[in-house]
Amino acid sequence: EVQLLESGGGFVQPGGSLRLSCAASGFIFHNHAMNWVRQAPGKGLEWVSTITGGGGSIYYADSVRGRFTISRDNSKNTLFLQMNSLRGEDTAVYYCAKSLTTTSNWLDPWGQGTLVIVSS
Amino acid sequence: EIVLTQSPATLSLSPGERATLSCRASQSVGSYLGWYQQKPGQAPRLLIYDASNRATGIPARFSGSGSGTDFTLTISSLEPEDFAVYYCQQRSNWPLTFGGGTKVEIK
């Protein structure tokens, strides 16, 4: 069974930093792209970033490019999101999600999410 | 960026009724359109990918159709557990984008 477990969320002041982690199990981690998607309170889904299986290709939403860095450690089956220069609008539940196949960016499954609150 | 517009925003139906949800893309996405279901307090779940393929474990009452810019998710007969928010997503171009969602609520 595929399992994704996010951690690292919390309360941070504007301008601060957080590092999210997503521990994966139940599949061949390095064979799949991984993704971060966020959802602000009461709002819809917003894709944040994708990293391919080997880490050779990375994509970001314009809203986070230059502030967030996605990475992965395939030896530890773990995905990361380093978030710097955080803003109030970054407040959201952050989900990690596995790409359905090795070649497609359908997101399946998703972790349970970790809440990030940016406020003074 | 490809904008996905979902309609209606809210659909009020009774159990057993048919639900028809729409997703329109600002430019062609071919068949690279998927649908997700999200229940309160839960993570989204993939229902449909590549416009018409059901994901693993998804009941046959869920079906997807369309290509290009116009897509439909149909729930043939609503079960109590189907009342939720549904999102479409495209993977044709970066950035990946989601529609604003359709809430299917009990009438």
Side-chain angles (χ1 to χ4, degrees):
Chain A
E1 179 191 5
V2 174
Q3 291 195 337
L4 301 170
L5 184 62
E6 301 96 335
S7 60
F11 188 96
V12 62
Q13 292 187 334
S17 298
L18 276 179
R19 190 193 198 202
L20 306 183
S21 299
C22 173
S25 62
F27 64 102
I28 302 174
F29 186 68
H30 65 258
N31 277 356
H32 291 265
M34 295 294 294
N35 309 267
W36 289 100
V37 177
R38 67 186 180 183
Q39 186 169 35
K43 302 297 184 183
L45 302 172
E46 180 187 15
W47 169 78
V48 172
S49 184
T50 297
I51 183 169
T52 53
S57 293
I58 287 173
Y59 306 88
Y60 294 105
D62 286 346
S63 58
V64 307
R65 185 176 292 111
R67 301 186 299 122
F68 290 10
T69 302
I70 191 172
S71 62
R72 62 193 296 161
D73 184 339
N74 286 345
S75 69
K76 297 182 178 178
N77 289 359
T78 304
L79 174 72
F80 302 101
L81 186 68
Q82 177 66 43
M83 304 187 297
N84 298 331
S85 303
L86 283 161
R87 306 166 179 167
E89 54 265 37
D90 296 319
T91 294
V93 174
Y94 284 74
Y95 297 100
C96 71
K98 166 186 162 288
S99 287
L100 178 64
T101 69
T102 58
T103 57
S104 75
N105 289 312
W106 302 122
L107 310 181
D108 180 63
W110 300 48
Q112 87 291 344
T114 187
L115 177 61
V116 172
I117 299 174
V118 183
S119 176
S120 55
Chain B
E1 166 174 327
I2 295 176
V3 176
L4 300 179
T5 302
Q6 291 188 241
S7 61
T10 304
L11 199 52
S12 299
L13 295 168
S14 300
E17 289 193 294
R18 182 184 189 90
T20 303
L21 287 65
S22 174
C23 178
R24 177 164 290 177
S26 60
Q27 65 188 76
S28 176
V29 298
S31 62
Y32 294 139
L33 194 286
W35 293 91
Y36 298 82
Q37 177 193 65
Q38 187 178 33
K39 298 178 182 179
Q42 296 185 17
R45 174 176 70 149
L46 179 68
L47 298 176
I48 301 287
Y49 63 96
D50 290 343
S52 61
N53 295 301
R54 275 189 302 276
T56 301
I58 301 304
R61 63 181 181 273
F62 290 93
S63 63
S65 63
S67 66
T69 61
D70 290 299
F71 298 87
T72 301
L73 174 69
T74 301
I75 310 171
S76 59
S77 178
L78 283 164
E79 297 287 339
E81 61 267 28
D82 299 337
F83 292 92
V85 180
Y86 294 83
Y87 295 95
C88 57
Q89 177 228 324
Q90 66 80 23
R91 74 165 190 90
S92 175
N93 286 6
W94 298 100
L96 304 181
T97 51
F98 291 89
T102 290
K103 181 180 181 180
V104 179
E105 65 176 23
I106 300 176
K107 185 174 182 180

